[in-house]
């Protein structure tokens, strides 16, 4: 990696990304815990509206505790949060980059991965977080089809009703990051989680580093 990045995993798909002196929280959802105590955030980003990525019950208090934080979300989540009385900017692929200090946030993707014919497909926007001289990070939300370009660290959904491990492995191999961070693991018991990580890390590409952040607090990537 060019320099250092610090990540904190609050469970499932919620990550605090600290890079270039900025603190960016992604997907504070209902399967995650501890994010509600955060202060000093520069931005809060939501990839899509599902409750495991956006806890609308806890979100307003998080915003009140971080009045300086800018709010960004996929278009459908942005509309919901505006209905809750919050000021939110919509993120969309092809739209302008978001600048947070020296950090550039770029939206990639449009839709949540297909689940089944009885589940409506909602908007989903992955986010590429980059700053000069720092590792580049990508959080895909709940989709495996984005093309964010070269990245150093990839957040990888481990398990979901909408994905199979073969698709996850192909996703990692296609984007070819230096390292991966497991996310979207809230449905798994520990033995199953270890099995998934063995498959993904072992088959995701040569010289791939697994950064398992679960329960580790803030971790600085080497």
């Amino acid at each position: 990696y060019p320099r250092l990045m610090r990540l904190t995993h609050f469970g499932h798909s919620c990550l605090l990304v600290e890079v270039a002196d900025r603190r960016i929280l992604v997907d504070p959802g209902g399967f995650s815990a501890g994010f509600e105590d955060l202060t000093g955030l520069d931005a809060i980003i939501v990839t899509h509206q599902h409750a495991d990525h956006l806890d609308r019950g806890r979100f307003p208090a998080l915003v009140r505790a971080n009045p300086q934080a800018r709010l960004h979300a996929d278009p459908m989540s942005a509309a919901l949060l505006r209905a809750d009385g919050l000021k939110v900017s919509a993120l969309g692929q092809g739209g302008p980059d978001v600048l947070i200090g020296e950090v550039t946030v770029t939206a990639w993707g449009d839709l949540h991965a297909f689940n089944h014919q009885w589940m409506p497909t909602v908007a989903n926007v992955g986010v590429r977080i980059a700053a000069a001289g720092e590792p580049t990070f990508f959080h895909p939300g709940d989709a495996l089809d984005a093309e964010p370009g070269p990245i150093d660290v990839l957040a990888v959904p481990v398990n979901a009703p909408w994905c199979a491990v073969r698709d996850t492995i192909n996703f990692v191999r296609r984007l070819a990051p230096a390292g991966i961070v497991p996310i979207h693991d809230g449905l798994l018991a520990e033995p199953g989680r270890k099995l998934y990580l063995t498959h993904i890390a072992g088959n995701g590409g040569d010289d791939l580093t697994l950064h398992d952040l679960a329960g580790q607090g803030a971790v600085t990537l080497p």
Side-chain angles (χ1 to χ4, degrees), residues 128-205:
R128 185 179 189 266
I129 299 174
E134 301 277 8
T136 298
F137 171 82
F138 184 63
H139 189 305
D142 279 9
L144 303 178
D145 59 351
E147 298 283 356
I151 54 173
D152 297 303
V153 184
L154 175 64
V156 178
V158 172
N159 165 263
W162 49 266
C163 77
V165 71
R166 60 179 176 271
D167 299 322
T168 306
I169 292 169
N170 286 336
F171 172 63
V172 175
R173 295 182 72 93
R174 178 169 58 81
L175 296 193
I180 59 172
V181 172
I183 61 169
H184 214 284
D185 52 2
L187 298 177
L188 293 171
E190 190 56 30
R193 185 177 184 276
K194 289 180 180 178
L195 180 61
Y196 272 92
L197 295 188
T198 298
H199 278 286
I200 296 166
N203 298 282

Side-chain angles (χ1 to χ4, degrees), residues 97 165 211 222:
D97 291 342
V165 71
H211 302 285

